[in-house]
Amino acid sequence: MDRRVLIAQLNIEHYRRKLASERDDAKRRAISDLLAEEEARLATLANSDPSGGLEQLLDMVASQAAELFGGERAGTNRSESEARLALILDQMPFGFGLTDHTGIWILANVLMRRYAPEMIPSRDPKIVHRWQGFDKEGRLLDPSRWPNARALRGETVVPGIDFIYTTDDGRHVATRIAAAPVRYAGGHVAGAVCVVEELEKSKA
């Protein structure tokens, strides 16, 4: 594992522990800001070295996102979690989104909404035709086998599956989609976190 990924993970765990025990609102905001910076750093490292950081990034965001489902932590903490996740998503250099159990976005950054404006591609009849995913033998995948759909069934799909996305003007974009489930405290799937990484563009 990249040493920088390990350091970012250790810092994230440290700030999480501090945040869990701190009661002063001003200090909580400061710790929350530092935590968001480390989480954004991990996101950048995951993009530069997907094999070293992407799975850890998905796990980290999935555990943070669990607070937005089921009210495990009420009040201010939930608002802080949502604001922190939104900040992380906006800084990511790839498409990133958090869904509910139906596949509709709860939070998604600008890059993700460019590819999938409202929900995961496998469940959106308006855009599903724009995506083509392939297995290791190059065979076309049914949408039920796409990473985001599998994550909503409880599977983690990392480093992801290659897809071709067709734009409005007919260009083809090579992408990779990865996803992981978000669970309630009891273990049931509450939603999913999804990544769309742009690999390269080609002409129509």
Side-chain angles (χ1 to χ4, degrees):
M1 179 188 295
D2 189 320
R3 183 170 176 269
R4 295 169 300 170
V5 170
L6 178 59
I7 291 172
Q9 290 174 333
L10 291 173
N11 286 339
I12 286 167
E13 290 306 314
H14 170 72
Y15 291 134
R16 282 184 187 171
R17 288 193 297 270
K18 294 280 287 183
L19 197 59
S21 61
E22 184 58 62
R23 295 293 174 259
D24 181 85
D25 286 345
K27 290 181 180 179
R28 285 185 61 83
R29 284 193 295 271
I31 296 168
S32 185
D33 288 345
L34 291 169
L35 178 57
E37 288 177 10
E38 286 300 322
E39 290 169 336
R41 181 174 294 113
L42 180 58
T44 301
L45 291 170
N47 187 57
S48 62
D49 180 16
S51 63
L54 183 56
E55 186 166 7
Q56 291 82 4
L57 173 65
L58 287 169
D59 287 345
M60 177 271 294
V61 176
S63 65
Q64 293 281 324
E67 295 179 8
L68 303 181
F69 298 94
E72 290 180 26
R73 293 184 181 178
T76 304
N77 287 1
R78 175 168 175 157
S79 297
E80 288 175 356
S81 296
E82 187 167 353
R84 189 163 63 245
L85 277 172
L87 177 62
I88 296 166
L89 265 57
D90 285 342
Q91 295 185 58
M92 289 182 178
F94 41 75
F96 206 107
L98 165 68
T99 82
D100 64 14
H101 71 283
T102 69
I104 295 174
W105 300 127
I106 293 175
L107 293 170
N109 63 11
V110 172
L111 292 175
M112 178 60 84
R113 291 191 185 276
R114 183 183 304 164
Y115 287 116
E118 300 174 9
M119 66 183 74
I120 59 174
S122 60
R123 293 200 176 178
D124 190 342
K126 291 182 289 189
I127 65 166
V128 68
H129 65 281
R130 293 181 179 270
W131 295 88
Q132 290 183 303
F134 304 91
D135 64 17
K136 293 180 179 179
E137 285 72 42
R139 294 172 298 199
L140 199 62
L141 286 175
D142 184 84
S144 65
R145 296 174 61 199
W146 294 1
N148 36 50
R150 290 167 58 185
L152 290 175
R153 296 195 297 268
E155 297 181 57
T156 296
V157 186
V158 175
I161 294 175
D162 290 353
F163 282 77
I164 298 297
Y165 173 77
T166 303
T167 64
D168 287 339
D169 58 3
R171 289 180 298 111
H172 301 300
V173 183
T175 65
R176 180 170 295 133
I177 297 179
V182 176
R183 299 181 183 277
Y184 291 111
H188 297 297
V189 175
V193 286
C194 307
V195 169
V196 175
E197 179 187 4
E198 188 173 295
L199 303 178
E200 61 178 287
K201 292 182 179 179
S202 60
K203 296 181 180 179

